[in-house]
Amino acid sequence: MIIGAPVKGLVSTLFYVRDAIRINKAFMDDLSIQISAMNLPENGTITIAAREIQHEPNYVLKLNRYKVVVVTDVYDAAGGGIDVSGNNGGNGAKGADGEKGYASATPQNNKDGKNGAIGGNGKTGDSGMEIHLFCRELKNSRIYSRGGNGGNGGNGGNGGNGGEARIMVADPEGGKYQEMVGTKGGNGGRGGNAASGGAGGKVTVRYMKRTGSQPVISVSGGSGGTGGNGGGAGKGGFDLPNGVVGVKGSNAVKGAEGQTSVQELTENTFWQQLRTLLGGTRAYMWAEYRMRIGEYYLRCFAPGNPALVKFAEKAAHEFRTILWLQPNEVRAQTMLSNIAANLNPLGIQRDFYLTPDFTRYEKAFVDYAPLVQNIVSDAKDLLLHANNVNYNRAKLSAQITHIQAGMLVIESERAEATTQKLQAEGAVAGCNGRIAGLDMEIAAKRAELTEARLELGTVFISSVFQAIGAVAAVVGAVYTGGASLAALPGLLVAAENQWKEFTKDENNQVKYKAVYLTDWVEWKDGKAEVKKEIKELGAGLEKIVNSIKPVVTSTLDLIDKAQVLNDIGRSTVNGELENDLKRLLQRKAELEFERAEAKLGLKQAELRLATIEFKSQQAQSDLANAQQLMNTLSSDGKLLGKVTSLLIRRAQDYMSHLHQFQFWATRALDIYALKNHSKMLSFDIGFIHPDIEEDAYTAFSRGDTNRALSLMDAYLNSWSRLPGIIVLKSEYESYRMNLQTQSQFWSFSGNHPIVQNLRETGSAEFEIGLSDMYQNRFEYKIEGISIALVGATSEYPYINCDLIHCGESKNIRLNGEIVEFDYPLRGHSIPAVMNTIQMNSAPSIDSEAFWGRSPVAKWRISILPDVMNRTNLSSLTDVYLSISYKTFIPSYQGIVEREEVAMAI
């Protein structure tokens, strides 16, 4: 898109938009070239739009023949200003002097001196031009829209002098004598009338915040001109009368004062007035450019890189601005949701869990990396051969095939994302099923739960049944509308329509004390941490219970998941810390949070599909445009600019596909080797700041190819920064080679809750802590699991169990640092044997079933209903769990033999 051009649908309008503009001589020179190139008529409109506009110190931008609109987030004149004053009117010309008279001996030939001509009238001073300045923050401004001074009248022409002659006259006596003959002098011409000064212009300033002094504005009318003096009188010849001095021309009046309107507006009113001023076309164009900026900033963001960590906030700011310019703009809403949901620019969770496939990643690089370079090289060729239309048409024809192939790549991404969505829907359905089963247990014990007193310390909260109902009602409201808060670990927004301390702007974007939802997070060491003032709003169990009581008018704002579960853990039921009824409450809370997080996973999958759909729409549009351009291709710079930018966009789509494999490989290494490489990963390789692109294509449209060719080289240099997958694979394999294998047993006997719950319900939960692991073992990764249900009987040789790793886990690095993870739930079917002797011969599970995960986690084991029907657990006496895992054992060398040691939890 070439911005510096006439605005489609608007007459006599130039639209100059960038992310940041420095107003100085270079800017004025560039603007003047564009004004000339489009032959912008006087009184046309120049719109200058940017996120930030700052003058070079004391520089005054003079545009005194055009209407001007300046719109920006931050404006700082820095001692300079904008001058749209009218030009001074021209002075009237002096009247021509009268011709000199003529005198002779022949009377009929005598002529008086001619009158001087009237002086020319002055020209009226031009009126000051109309200017509008709209900015969110006004730091310093000086605006001049004065009327031009009126021109002075021209002086009247001087009257011509009369003629004079000395003639010889014969006397009657035959003698001769000399006689003087003269003619009258001409009158002086009237002085020309002066012109009035031009009227001052109309200056409108609107802002939401001012940090500097009041705006300095001058809209005075121009001074009226002075009438021309009358011309001097011509001198009469030889005693004949002189002419009359010309009359002075009339003076003119001062021009009318202009109009000034300066207002500080609320956010809503500011944007309403600005949308009206810009109209639909210019508002759309600025929104479109800010979308480019927002997407570029989001690509630059890397949560673990201090130099790039602020780019997420910058991107969010751009997308929110788009919604003010174009309310309900779907893409901007989706991108804001992506940021809130902790998705990268590809629509993939930044904490995405996967098992690696380095062979596939390497093949993608082999297939697509050369293709990217080929497309960019052809785009550069188009510029180098701008005048060779047939050559360029052949190049474009060849690239259309690549554009069509890109559509297939997008469809493969769509299929992958659709599968992810189906899996997310399955996770939600699984949670619903587990909650339904638990609700049946709760219903069976309703009377008992209603009587049981729940206390935190010595404070009575409610009955356990009321607490269970509150947890279901409040946590169940989490993530039911709008963008999620995946980037806010542990905090969940609830009761969205009853917020007490939260507000929304007109675009339904959530704010707390003027801070937007997407800005609640501070990134530290690559991790999202809720800002202190937001974290303090997090509520625990007591507030959850109180929020549903009719007598309590205050509503719940935030739920702190960790605080809620901790409160349940330290609460007592009927004075007892350990109580089966309290365990029902705890299980209910955990399952409700689990379902909320599963819904979040579904929301993330839907957002990724939406992101892919935007790519698909752009690719389809590009394909249609490319085929149309084939028929109309010429050496016209603007047309070639469209073609080259189209090809670059297609190359960038392929690069995004490579970014996906780069991210997956990096993420796999991070998961397995406990690294943070993906936190340092940005997605801007192959992308250049839109201002640089716009400068290049605008210059090219005028025939200046230098910037455009430099831009092509910049793309190629940027793409060369993409590291190969082989480097990540080598680090991954090197890490694996240093790990050793360890096996560890856990046993649960008699009336242990796990044994008891399995006997009664066929399901049980347990937790393995860091203290339960062997000492001097570090960075564990599960390799295999086997289970023995001693005393159980079944019609089958094995009892198929579902073992679920609940996602929240811990590990310990070689340096002793404890790290925490929150992966999606992951389950696997495990054939349990019925005595410990068979454990060595039981079918093994896939080594990647719980790939890269630590055993230090919450677990759930359950037996499916159809298996339960053919299994008898009434005689179950012991449950044995064996986990083999890879680990660092500094004190050992080689492979560690399996240690048959039982550890009771």
Side-chain angles (χ1 to χ4, degrees):
M1 173 184 179
I2 299 173
I3 295 292
V7 179
K8 184 178 180 181
L10 296 178
V11 179
S12 303
T13 299
L14 172 65
F15 192 57
Y16 191 107
V17 58
R18 297 292 187 273
D19 177 47
I21 292 176
R22 178 84 164 174
I23 293 184
N24 53 20
K25 184 179 183 301
F27 169 79
M28 186 64 224
D29 289 345
D30 187 52
L31 190 62
S32 297
I33 291 172
Q34 293 191 42
I35 291 171
S36 177
M38 69 169 289
N39 198 24
L40 183 68
E42 291 189 12
N43 214 37
T45 300
I46 297 174
T47 302
I48 303 170
R51 175 182 54 84
E52 179 181 14
I53 296 177
Q54 184 178 41
H55 289 240
E56 190 173 279
N58 303 317
Y59 183 84
V60 177
L61 177 68
K62 293 186 178 182
L63 292 168
N64 52 13
R65 295 195 302 274
Y66 307 101
K67 298 172 185 175
V68 176
V69 176
V70 177
V71 289
T72 180
D73 291 354
V74 180
Y75 178 80
D76 185 1
I82 302 176
D83 190 345
V84 292
S85 297
N87 293 318
N88 293 333
N91 294 328
K94 178 182 176 298
D97 292 340
E99 293 180 8
K100 185 179 179 180
Y102 178 76
S104 70
T106 305
Q108 61 267 31
N109 291 334
N110 290 345
K111 295 179 181 178
D112 294 334
K114 297 293 185 182
N115 296 333
I118 298 173
N121 293 331
K123 301 295 183 183
T124 303
D126 291 339
S127 296
M129 300 304 294
E130 184 176 339
I131 179 171
H132 298 263
L133 170 61
F134 274 67
C135 56
R136 281 169 157 160
E137 181 179 355
L138 182 63
K139 291 185 175 181
N140 177 283
S141 65
R142 295 173 184 269
I143 301 176
Y144 310 100
S145 184
R146 304 179 180 121
N149 295 330
N152 297 323
N155 293 332
N158 296 321
N161 293 331
E164 290 184 331
R166 297 175 185 273
I167 61 174
M168 299 301 295
V169 179
D171 61 24
E173 296 177 355
K176 292 184 179 181
Y177 62 91
Q178 182 174 286
E179 186 174 289
M180 309 297 291
V181 177
T183 59
K184 297 176 182 178
N187 297 329
R190 184 181 187 280
N193 294 328
S196 60
K202 179 180 179 181
V203 176
T204 302
V205 178
R206 299 287 185 265
Y207 61 88
M208 286 189 274
K209 174 185 176 183
R210 180 171 58 81
T211 57
S213 59
Q214 284 280 1
V216 175
I217 299 175
S218 177
V219 289
S220 59
S223 299
T226 301
N229 294 321
K235 182 180 178 182
F238 295 130
D239 297 330
L240 285 169
N242 296 331
V244 178
V245 175
V247 178
K248 184 179 185 300
S250 60
N251 296 333
V253 298
K254 183 177 182 292
E257 293 293 300
Q259 302 175 38
T260 299
S261 176
V262 179
Q263 292 181 13
E264 180 177 345
L265 303 177
T266 63
E267 189 170 41
N268 292 344
T269 305
F270 175 88
W271 288 106
Q272 287 170 2
Q273 290 191 15
L274 180 56
R275 286 195 298 267
T276 300
L277 172 66
L278 293 178
T281 301
R282 283 181 294 175
Y284 169 79
M285 291 177 71
W286 195 22
E288 184 180 43
Y289 198 81
R290 297 197 80 147
M291 178 64 73
R292 289 167 61 187
I293 295 292
E295 291 181 334
Y296 175 76
Y297 281 159
L298 189 56
R299 286 183 173 279
C300 292
F301 170 63
N305 187 336
L308 303 177
V309 75
K310 289 293 184 181
F311 277 93
E313 289 185 23
K314 288 184 177 183
H317 173 75
E318 295 303 301
F319 299 136
R320 285 195 297 267
T321 300
I322 292 167
L323 291 176
W324 284 115
L325 289 165
Q326 300 279 292
N328 303 316
E329 208 286 332
V330 176
R331 187 165 186 171
Q333 290 175 330
T334 299
M335 298 308 290
L336 277 172
S337 296
N338 281 359
I339 294 173
N342 202 23
L343 304 181
N344 65 28
L346 311 179
I348 304 172
Q349 301 99 305
R350 292 185 183 274
D351 55 356
F352 188 64
Y353 177 81
L354 79 167
T355 55
D357 188 348
F358 283 101
T359 300
R360 180 189 175 199
Y361 307 154
E362 289 173 348
K363 185 178 187 304
F365 267 65
V366 170
D367 289 345
Y368 296 121
L371 180 58
V372 168
Q373 186 161 2
N374 174 266
I375 296 175
V376 180
S377 295
D378 275 6
K380 185 176 180 180
D381 260 4
L382 290 174
L383 302 180
L384 289 170
H385 299 85
N387 294 321
N388 192 334
V389 177
N390 289 333
Y391 178 87
N392 285 341
R393 186 172 285 120
K395 285 286 184 182
L396 179 56
S397 177
Q399 291 302 336
I400 285 178
T401 303
H402 292 150
I403 297 175
Q404 292 169 329
M407 298 288 295
L408 298 177
V409 171
I410 293 173
E411 288 309 309
S412 71
E413 292 179 357
R414 193 199 305 275
E416 197 168 62
T418 301
T419 300
Q420 181 187 355
K421 180 174 178 286
L422 291 172
Q423 292 171 341
E425 290 172 341
V428 173
C431 289
N432 289 339
R434 287 189 288 275
I435 288 175
L438 180 60
D439 286 345
M440 292 177 64
E441 291 185 56
I442 291 170
K445 295 188 176 184
R446 176 170 183 166
E448 192 177 349
L449 289 165
T450 302
E451 293 296 322
R453 289 172 56 89
L454 179 68
E455 295 180 350
L456 264 175
T458 58
V459 179
F460 171 72
I461 300 179
S462 66
S463 72
V464 179
F465 188 76
Q466 282 180 314
I468 288 174
V471 166
V474 176
V475 180
V478 173
Y479 301 133
T480 55
S484 64
L485 295 183
L488 310 182
L491 285 178
L492 309 176
V493 169
E496 194 172 83
N497 61 340
Q498 294 180 326
W499 282 331
K500 178 182 63 179
E501 299 189 68
F502 293 89
T503 59
K504 291 184 180 181
D505 66 19
E506 292 296 303
N507 299 311
N508 289 320
Q509 296 300 305
V510 182
K511 293 198 291 187
Y512 173 74
K513 293 184 177 179
V515 178
Y516 280 99
L517 175 153
T518 44
D519 299 335
W520 288 358
V521 172
E522 293 176 315
W523 292 92
K524 296 180 179 178
D525 299 324
K527 295 181 179 179
E529 294 185 6
V530 182
K531 291 180 178 177
K532 183 176 181 292
E533 62 271 26
I534 302 297
K535 181 71 174 177
E536 290 173 350
L537 299 174
L541 180 63
E542 185 175 1
K543 193 170 182 182
I544 281 182
V545 172
N546 287 337
S547 70
I548 66 167
K549 294 179 179 178
V551 295
V552 179
T553 56
S554 63
T555 57
L556 186 65
D557 295 323
L558 291 175
I559 307 167
D560 189 323
K561 175 183 174 182
Q563 188 177 337
V564 171
L565 296 180
N566 181 61
D567 283 353
I568 294 174
R570 64 186 181 87
S571 66
T572 59
V573 174
N574 297 336
E576 297 179 10
L577 185 62
E578 295 296 330
N579 186 287
D580 288 340
L581 300 181
K582 190 176 89 169
R583 289 194 189 96
L584 282 177
L585 169 60
Q586 184 150 12
R587 286 173 59 198
K588 180 67 171 178
E590 289 174 343
L591 284 174
E592 288 291 353
F593 279 116
E594 183 181 312
R595 177 164 62 180
E597 290 167 1
K599 286 182 179 180
L600 166 61
L602 179 56
K603 178 70 174 178
Q604 289 173 325
E606 290 169 347
L607 286 171
R608 187 183 179 200
L609 274 170
T611 303
I612 292 171
E613 180 59 29
F614 292 135
K615 285 178 59 178
S616 177
Q617 291 172 1
Q618 183 64 66
Q620 290 171 355
S621 174
D622 284 347
L623 179 59
N625 288 337
Q627 291 168 334
Q628 182 180 8
L629 287 168
M630 275 285 296
N631 301 321
T632 59
L633 194 63
S634 68
S635 59
D636 177 73
K638 291 180 182 178
L639 197 60
L640 284 174
K642 290 180 180 180
V643 174
T644 52
S645 62
L646 182 152
L647 292 180
I648 291 298
R649 192 161 53 243
R650 292 300 93 222
Q652 287 172 334
D653 243 17
Y654 279 112
M655 179 55 68
S656 292
H657 199 54
L658 287 175
H659 273 305
Q660 176 176 290
F661 294 109
Q662 177 76 19
F663 173 73
W664 283 342
T666 307
R667 185 70 187 136
L669 176 62
D670 284 358
I671 292 170
Y672 200 79
L674 307 188
K675 303 290 186 181
N676 284 313
H677 294 323
S678 60
K679 305 296 184 184
M680 302 296 292
L681 191 64
S682 62
F683 295 82
D684 63 325
I685 294 176
F687 292 80
I688 307 297
H689 194 289
D691 280 3
I692 300 175
E693 293 178 322
E694 204 62 41
D695 287 343
Y697 286 124
T698 302
F700 180 68
S701 70
R702 303 191 299 262
D704 179 359
T705 62
N706 291 330
R707 287 187 185 181
L709 289 171
S710 296
L711 178 65
M712 297 301 113
D713 290 335
Y715 285 130
L716 290 170
N717 289 336
S718 178
W719 275 310
S720 69
R721 294 189 289 118
L722 189 69
I725 295 295
I726 191 66
V727 177
L728 298 170
K729 182 180 181 181
S730 297
E731 186 176 350
Y732 172 74
E733 294 296 347
S734 176
Y735 180 89
R736 283 176 61 91
M737 290 294 293
N738 290 314
L739 294 172
Q740 301 176 37
T741 301
Q742 174 77 69
S743 291
Q744 191 169 338
F745 274 87
W746 287 265
S747 65
F748 314 93
S749 304
N751 290 323
H752 190 284
I754 293 178
V755 179
Q756 189 173 346
N757 288 335
L758 277 174
R759 278 199 299 256
E760 294 176 0
T761 66
S763 178
E765 295 178 357
F766 61 94
E767 185 172 356
I768 297 176
L770 282 170
S771 60
D772 300 313
M773 303 299 292
Y774 289 140
Q775 297 299 305
N776 296 318
R777 273 59 169 173
F778 301 91
E779 306 191 14
Y780 339 104
K781 301 96 176 46
I782 300 169
E783 287 281 299
I785 297 177
S786 57
I787 298 173
L789 303 177
V790 179
T793 59
S794 175
E795 296 179 13
Y796 304 111
Y798 304 105
I799 301 173
N800 283 327
C801 300
D802 278 350
L803 184 64
I804 296 176
H805 187 288
C806 294
E808 294 181 6
S809 60
K810 294 181 180 180
N811 216 320
I812 182 167
R813 298 184 193 272
L814 265 171
N815 62 7
E817 178 190 2
I818 296 174
V819 288
E820 298 182 359
F821 303 92
D822 192 4
Y823 297 129
L825 272 72
R826 192 171 179 88
H828 201 277
S829 179
I830 295 181
V833 297
M834 286 161 276
N835 60 69
T836 55
I837 298 174
Q838 294 177 309
M839 290 184 77
N840 288 327
S841 60
S844 60
I845 64 167
D846 185 348
S847 62
E848 293 188 348
F850 300 104
W851 180 86
R853 298 193 182 213
S854 167
V856 181
K858 291 182 178 180
W859 294 84
R860 182 184 305 126
I861 182 173
S862 59
I863 302 172
L864 296 177
D866 60 332
V867 177
M868 281 289 290
N869 292 336
R870 299 176 182 273
T871 300
N872 185 352
L873 297 177
S874 61
S875 300
L876 180 66
T877 59
D878 300 273
V879 176
Y880 285 88
L881 175 69
S882 173
I883 300 180
S884 62
Y885 52 89
K886 293 283 190 179
T887 185
F888 286 113
I889 310 178
S891 58
Y892 284 20
Q893 295 292 328
I895 302 299
V896 178
E897 294 295 322
R898 178 178 171 130
E899 297 185 33
E900 305 287 345
V901 179
M903 298 184 67
I905 295 181

